[in-house]
Structure formats: structure tokens, C-alpha cells
Amino acid sequence: MTDRFGDSLSRRSLLKAGGAALLAPALASPALSQGQSDVIRIGHLTPRTGFLGPLGEFAVQAAQLAVEEINAAGGIAGRKVELLSEDSVNPQTASAKAERMVQRDRVACLVGEINSASALAISQVAQREKILFINTGANSDALRGSDCKRFMFHVESQNTMMVRACGRALLDRGLIKGRKVYALTADYAFGHDLLKQAKKYFAANDATLVGEDLIPTELTDFSPFLLKLRQAKPDLVICNLAGAQITNFLKQYSEFGLPFPVAGFGFDTALAWGAGPGNFLGTWPVIWHHQIDSPSAKTFVAAFKAKYKKPPENQGWGDYTALKIVAQSMNELKATGSIRVVEHLESGAKFDIAKVREGYFRPWDHELMQEMFAITALPADQVKNPYDIFTSTGPLPGPGESLEVLATTRDENACTFPA
């Protein structure tokens, strides 16, 4: 293990070296002390513009709420937390801003992101600088496998977890086994990985992929693809799109009046709200939603509603939860150093994550083990307000199952942390 400043010393070897080694200025696990700044800065990067911008807005609002609550509760060991939020824009900009936050602003950690390619760019900075990065919205399995990093953790679920959660609901409805499926997929890293995992699921469950199209992220007119769907007559349309793409697709799908059931393997509840009653269709996986029946979920929803006059959606939950995990861990450790926090998260520490069961990070790939849900659109005549427009399964996995059954195994998605 190396510390944040690159010295090849593990924490264990430092302890063996005795008191003199503990005085080394490059030690990456500083205990909180009166001699330090009275502010702990946390860098928050997430897209505020483009097709992921609507999700980024919820992320920023929830992150601000989390910091307000952390400071109201005493901060981190009495020190105020300051959130530095930036629009990550694209992978190149995300990398540059992450580096600036670490080197110039001296942030204690990095939190955020939605775009998988940008999350990879940030993780490379985090690994090089030996600073904690908690990914709150990027789903690519590769980030937990071939591209995994020792200093990167994932509050967001991996694509395989999304596919398997929604797949359970689709199997129950008879829409997978022996069925013909047509897939529309976002043409960037997230979509490519999601389609890869979806194809594995189709093959394992006797579904036939009869058509697939890659959709540019800037596309707004889906009519050529809707005409192809009309001709293909699939049993199920799988929408592996992202961000505002999904909202636009659903609106146009409704206008075309196509009769084929719709589902997707990646989703955010803000996109359902954007489509609106009557346009929002089908069954989708979510990592969290505002109707979850747990005390901490209800508290979060009430606080967010009071501040922003609307319920939070799942991307907001991710950024809010990541910041609460960071604050809890640093307070328990009485230290802000990334190596100490990494070791704490790898130790099996459990966290209240506004669900029924607590969550924990797997030490070998740093994925948060947690419950997920599949939601299905309500008919327009059953919708009573703009937000409660879907029904939900109970928690997935169910109460008697391991939290790890939806996630990839080591054999499926091997992770070897870089030195």
C-alpha cells in the first residue's frame, strides 16, 4: 500500500517502524487535532449540463443537504465541512477538476459522478494521489472489475445488479423466457457495459435478442428507431438509455402508440417524473426511491421536501448517502486520512443507508452491498400526484437472501487493485 503522497509504506510497516516513522510528514492518515484547519473540504463532482444534467441537479441538492445536516450535528469531530461542487462536464474536465481539488484545495476526499467514463478518469486521479473517491452514480461493471481502484468505492450499484433486479420482475411477468427482445442502448461506456450484461442475462434466461441499436447521447428524435420497432414486433423493448434520453424516448414511444411492453436495465426516478403520467411506461430497476418504508428514508425525504419542495430521487440519495458514510467513518476514526478510511470501509463497517437493511462494502471490489427495487409505471388514471407514479417491488434481495446475490462474483468480475 502507498500513502496519499506516494511513499511505498503500508500502515502496518509504519507501525512496526516505531514512533519516529509516525512523525513522517507524508503520513496519509492524519488524526484530527487542534492544529489543523477548522474546515474539512470535500470535493463533489457531477454533471450539471448535458443529458445527465437533470440527475446532477438532484445530486448537488442532496449533497448540500447532507453537509448542512452533518454540520448541524457537529461536523467531523467539531470541524465544519465545506462542500466544493463542480460540473464534471466530461472525462477530461472531470480529471482536471479532481486534480485541482486535491492539489490546490486540499480536499479530504472526492465524492460524486454519474458518467462511467468520467468516474474512471476521477478514479485514476484518486489512485495516483492516494485519496478516497466514492462513486455515487456510475454503474459500469468494469469500474468494479478490470478498472477497479483501491481508493475508489461505489455507493451506486453495478450494471449487473440493475439487470438482475429488473430481470426478476420481468421473469415474474413472463416477459423474458422464450421472448423476443429488441434493445436500444446509449452509445457510451455505461450503455456498452449495460448491453453486455443484458445479453448475458438474456442468454441465461432463454430470451432472444432480435434487434439492437446504439443511440448517440445527443439524439433527440427517436422516430427512425420507433419505426424499426414497429416492423420488428418484439415481445419486449429494452431501453438501455441514460439521462434525458429515456425521458425523450418514453414521450415519443407514447406518441407513436406502440403496443410492445417496455422495460429498462438502468434508470433514475427523475426520468419517470420528466416523462410524466401517461408517458412513463414499463418496469425499471432503481437503487432507491422516495416511497421506501424505513425511518431513515422517511427522514431524508421529509428534509429534502422541506428544503426543495419536491421529493428526492435515487441519484440524490446516492450523493447524500456517500457524504453521510464519509462523515460517520471519519468521526468514528477521529481521522480524515484516506488510508484509514479505506481500511475502515474494507473492514465490514455497516451503515444506515435509508433502506430496510444496513449496507456494507465488499472488501475485494468495494461495491456497496444493499437492497434494490424494481418499479412499474401506474396507469395514468391511478396517478394522484406528479411523483407517486409507480408501484415498487419489495426489497431485492428479499429478507431471507444474502445482499450479495444480485452482484457479480469474483469469477464473473475479477478485481485486482493496482499498487
Side-chain angles (χ1 to χ4, degrees):
M1 184 189 306
T2 57
D3 75 10
R4 177 176 157 188
F5 298 97
D7 292 336
S8 298
L9 290 173
S10 70
R11 182 167 175 261
R12 183 176 299 170
S13 65
L14 282 169
L15 293 173
K16 287 182 178 179
L22 294 175
L23 297 177
L27 187 61
S29 301
L32 298 172
S33 71
Q34 293 181 344
Q36 292 174 309
S37 166
D38 61 353
V39 172
I40 294 174
R41 296 185 178 91
I42 295 177
H44 183 228
L45 289 160
T46 201
R48 303 290 300 277
T49 52
F51 72 106
L52 295 174
L55 308 180
E57 189 63 28
F58 277 95
V60 170
Q61 290 173 338
Q64 291 170 344
L65 174 63
V67 168
E68 289 175 9
E69 292 180 354
I70 292 165
N71 286 334
I76 294 177
R79 294 166 63 189
K80 180 181 177 182
V81 176
E82 180 182 347
L83 189 70
L84 305 181
S85 290
E86 292 271 5
D87 182 356
S88 53
V89 185
N90 56 44
Q92 295 75 25
T93 303
S95 176
K97 290 185 175 182
E99 190 168 88
R100 186 184 68 203
M101 285 178 169
V102 175
Q103 296 182 354
R104 187 193 71 183
D105 301 321
R106 310 301 296 168
V107 297
C109 66
L110 297 166
V111 169
E113 201 40 60
I114 302 173
N115 182 300
S116 291
S118 294
L120 175 60
I122 295 169
S123 75
Q124 291 166 342
V125 173
Q127 184 66 30
R128 183 170 66 249
E129 299 288 341
K130 307 306 179 194
I131 188 168
L132 175 68
F133 166 45
I134 299 188
N135 159 38
T136 63
N139 301 90
S140 170
D141 276 36
L143 291 172
R144 290 87 169 157
S146 59
D147 293 326
C148 69
K149 302 287 188 294
R150 178 77 194 283
F151 285 82
M152 175 169 57
F153 288 76
H154 309 277
V155 164
E156 179 59 271
S157 65
Q158 61 183 177
N159 278 331
T160 291
M161 295 164 69
M162 288 286 206
V163 171
R164 290 173 178 172
C166 187
R168 285 191 175 194
L170 296 176
L171 282 169
D172 288 345
R173 294 177 58 194
L175 291 173
I176 291 290
K177 284 193 175 294
R179 300 298 185 177
K180 297 183 298 181
V181 181
Y182 199 115
L184 301 177
T185 301
D187 190 10
Y188 77 112
F190 157 77
H192 297 170
D193 185 76
L194 185 57
L195 180 61
K196 177 182 177 182
Q197 310 315 323
K199 286 181 175 179
K200 290 179 183 178
Y201 193 80
F202 296 150
N205 289 280
D206 194 30
T208 302
L209 188 63
V210 297
E212 57 178 292
D213 290 301
L214 292 175
I215 311 298
T217 57
E218 68 275 10
L219 182 82
T220 57
D221 179 9
F222 286 89
S223 55
F225 301 99
L226 294 171
L227 291 171
K228 291 177 71 173
L229 290 173
R230 180 177 287 164
Q231 294 173 346
K233 295 181 173 60
D235 297 312
L236 177 66
V237 176
I238 288 292
C239 179
N240 291 329
L241 303 177
Q245 281 187 310
I246 295 177
T247 300
N248 290 334
F249 172 80
L250 289 175
K251 288 180 177 179
Q252 293 173 43
Y253 192 88
S254 294
E255 291 171 1
F256 263 68
L258 297 181
F260 319 118
V262 175
F265 288 146
F267 198 65
D268 297 273
T269 45
L271 309 175
W273 299 336
N279 290 325
F280 175 50
L281 305 167
T283 298
W284 309 78
V286 292
I287 195 169
W288 185 89
H289 62 79
H290 69 288
Q291 299 173 348
I292 291 174
D293 187 14
S294 79
S296 53
K298 291 178 179 178
T299 298
F300 171 43
V301 171
F304 195 96
K305 280 185 175 179
K307 185 174 178 63
Y308 299 112
K309 313 307 178 189
K310 61 184 177 183
E313 62 92 65
N314 54 272
Q315 184 56 55
W317 167 87
D319 293 71
Y320 177 90
T321 298
L323 284 163
K324 289 301 186 80
I325 287 173
V326 167
Q328 178 182 327
S329 299
M330 290 181 177
N331 271 320
E332 290 175 357
L333 293 167
K334 296 182 173 56
T336 61
S338 287
I339 288 179
R340 291 283 304 278
V341 179
V342 165
E343 291 174 342
H344 177 71
L345 298 180
E346 289 178 336
S347 73
K350 292 187 175 181
F351 302 92
D352 183 339
I353 55 174
K355 300 185 182 185
V356 177
R357 287 199 266 177
E358 293 179 313
Y360 63 91
F361 292 96
R362 290 197 300 197
W364 63 268
D365 67 349
H366 293 177
E367 179 63 56
L368 183 66
M369 295 294 100
Q370 59 187 307
E371 297 164 321
M372 297 187 63
F373 306 84
I375 62 172
T376 299
L378 281 170
D381 60 2
Q382 295 182 25
V383 174
K384 298 180 180 179
N385 64 63
Y387 300 106
D388 299 325
I389 65 176
F390 53 79
T391 59
S392 176
T393 64
L396 303 170
E401 295 181 284
S402 164
L403 286 178
E404 302 195 18
V405 299
L406 298 180
T408 53
T409 64
R410 289 176 185 263
D411 290 338
E412 292 173 317
N413 198 39
C415 165
T416 301
F417 291 130

